[in-house]
Amino acid sequence: MATLFDFASAGISALTPYKPGRPIDEVKRQYGLSEVIKLASNESPLGPSPAVIAAINAAASGCHRYPDGNAYYLKQALAQKHGCSVAQITVGNGTNELLSMLARLFLKPGVSAVYSAHAFIVYKLSVMMAGAEAIEVPAVDFGHDLAAIAAAISPSTRMVFLANPNNPTGTLFSEAQFTEFMALVPENVLVVLDEAYFDYVDPAVRFDGIDYVERYANLVVTRTFSKVYALGGLRIGYAISSQALADLLNRGREPFNVNAIAQVAATAALSDEAHIAQSVALNASGMRQLLDGFKALDLAVISSYANFITVDVGEGAAVAEKLLQQGVIVRAIGEYQLPHYIRISIGLASENQRLLSALQQVL
Ligand SMILES: *Cc1c(COP(=O)(O)O)cnc(C)c1O
């Protein structure tokens, strides 16, 4: 007789779970350290703005009430920010939830999804969870090869995942490359454009995927509050798409998928533009500081447009472990087929300095 576990979804049984950056407290306990810094999860080193903290405090006494399942105020603010209608927005318990919802909506055994080598690993996990085939396309210069991705689309393909910039490589593709790509994608294949790091990209070189949602009915753009908005711990992200796709997503989601505190925090975060500008400026100076430091250490990097830098240290896992012993958490990225590299999130100037000193010792 078949066992209980023989009936479990083959896709889920076969997958390797997501490996998050180590929590600071866990590293302190394990290594008996009192001063640990984390540059491993691309979190904003400034933290949320005072306006966000005030909004969270004010909302705390109301948390016996269920959240607004429609996220009314947040969607109003997002519609205004992006010049879209409220009916085009889906909010999620992090972008992660939206990515797996999209995969569940379009994928099943027998169909496929396409993404780039070294792309954000949640794409692969979402495809596997749905039991579909993953088609991984070789990268060029560590970035997405959009022409090859378009060419890899087969009659069984239902979705393509793109990250711009990509994590963990920080690579960016241009508006011209994107529109050439979209012209090659069949209208019945969904393109998921993940813009988690949009705000960090120099406005001179970036384009806003949301501007293209009107033109392409098969495009959905995702954004997160986990990075520049500094709300990773609250789990909130959103997708903007055609109204028809948003309607499907909103039918399929859990009724209260985004909690009440996250909704008020995100709404407050959108309104504090000065804090966002400060975070972006801090990131730009931290990027220069780290690039100078890596140059001095003679380390090669992958040019990044985001809030992290991926650096060739020879043996990523071993170096990351030695940095842990020094109280510096970074990310080895062997599971991204980049075993020589570590990914370092840009921190405060003092944290960046500490990382550079620790790295010099370890190497
Ligand atoms: C961090 C990140 C996200 C955000 O995920 P959340 O679930 O919103 O925290 C999405 N996409 C990429 C590529 C990321 O690196």
Side-chain angles (χ1 to χ4, degrees):
M1 194 176 78
T3 72
L4 174 66
F5 295 103
D6 290 329
F7 294 136
S9 157
I12 297 177
S13 310
L15 63 76
T16 312
Y18 183 80
K19 262 200 231 126
R22 301 277 301 272
I24 289 176
D25 283 338
E26 185 183 294
V27 172
K28 283 184 178 171
R29 281 196 305 275
Q30 184 181 342
Y31 295 89
L33 296 166
S34 55
E35 295 288 321
V36 170
I37 61 168
K38 183 178 177 194
L39 301 175
S41 299
N42 303 342
E43 296 148 340
S44 169
L46 273 189
S49 84
V52 169
I53 298 179
I56 291 173
N57 287 336
S61 63
C63 69
H64 54 307
R65 303 287 179 203
Y66 276 89
D68 173 1
N70 273 321
Y72 177 85
Y73 292 107
L74 175 59
K75 284 189 185 176
Q76 290 288 333
L78 287 171
Q80 189 165 4
K81 173 181 166 73
H82 293 297
C84 66
S85 83
V86 162
Q88 292 176 272
I89 303 171
T90 311
V91 292
N93 186 39
T95 304
N96 208 313
E97 186 195 25
L98 295 164
L99 296 170
S100 60
M101 267 166 52
L102 285 160
R104 259 186 284 137
L105 186 55
F106 289 100
L107 301 180
K108 59 188 176 187
V111 305
S112 65
V114 181
Y115 52 81
S116 175
H118 317 311
F120 187 41
I121 211 150
V122 167
Y123 310 150
K124 176 182 184 175
L125 294 176
S126 303
V127 175
M128 287 188 74
M129 292 272 244
E133 181 198 353
I135 300 175
E136 194 176 296
V137 176
V140 267
D141 296 334
F142 303 99
H144 291 12
D145 182 346
L146 290 181
I149 290 174
I153 293 172
S154 80
S156 76
T157 301
R158 301 290 179 265
M159 294 173 83
V160 176
F161 291 93
L162 305 176
N164 204 39
N166 182 46
N167 169 20
T169 53
T171 49
L172 188 79
F173 52 79
S174 70
E175 184 161 25
Q177 288 171 314
F178 174 70
T179 52
E180 272 169 44
F181 167 79
M182 288 304 292
L184 297 170
V185 177
E187 283 171 15
N188 60 5
V189 172
L190 182 71
V191 175
V192 181
L193 176 57
D194 178 350
E195 295 187 328
Y197 300 96
F198 177 84
D199 298 271
Y200 291 109
V201 183
D202 180 350
V205 294
R206 78 181 175 200
F207 72 96
D208 183 342
I210 296 168
D211 292 343
Y212 285 91
V213 166
E214 290 296 328
R215 184 179 323 172
Y216 305 115
N218 61 332
L219 175 66
V220 53
V221 179
T222 62
R223 296 280 181 94
T224 183
F225 283 98
S226 299
K227 304 289 155 56
V228 83
Y229 293 104
L231 299 178
L234 291 182
R235 313 302 307 122
I236 177 163
Y238 59 100
I240 296 186
S241 65
S242 70
Q243 210 166 305
L245 179 59
D247 179 53
L248 276 181
L249 288 170
N250 278 299
R251 276 190 230 192
R253 71 175 168 79
E254 289 176 21
F256 303 111
N257 62 331
V258 176
N259 72 75
I261 304 291
Q263 289 186 33
V264 297
T267 308
L270 285 174
S271 66
D272 194 344
E273 287 174 12
H275 188 76
I276 301 308
Q278 197 187 345
S279 304
V280 170
L282 179 74
N283 189 65
S285 65
M287 175 76 84
R288 287 191 294 274
Q289 180 190 5
L290 284 178
L291 287 175
D292 288 347
F294 297 142
K295 199 168 183 186
L297 293 171
D298 217 9
L299 296 173
V301 303
I302 303 175
S303 290
S304 170
Y305 291 88
N307 67 340
F308 55 82
I309 312 178
T310 290
V311 189
D312 186 347
V313 292
E315 281 189 88
V319 170
E321 174 60 34
K322 285 185 192 150
L323 287 172
L324 266 189
Q325 291 164 11
Q326 307 265 338
V328 179
I329 313 174
V330 300
R331 193 77 153 266
I333 46 176
E335 74 263 39
Y336 285 94
Q337 287 95 47
L338 294 168
H340 303 306
Y341 290 80
I342 55 175
R343 191 197 66 195
I344 296 162
S345 307
I346 297 169
L348 301 171
S350 56
E351 295 173 324
N352 299 333
Q353 190 46 55
R354 179 147 168 221
L355 170 274
L356 288 170
S357 308
L359 199 52
Q360 182 169 25
Q361 276 200 0
V362 159
L363 298 170

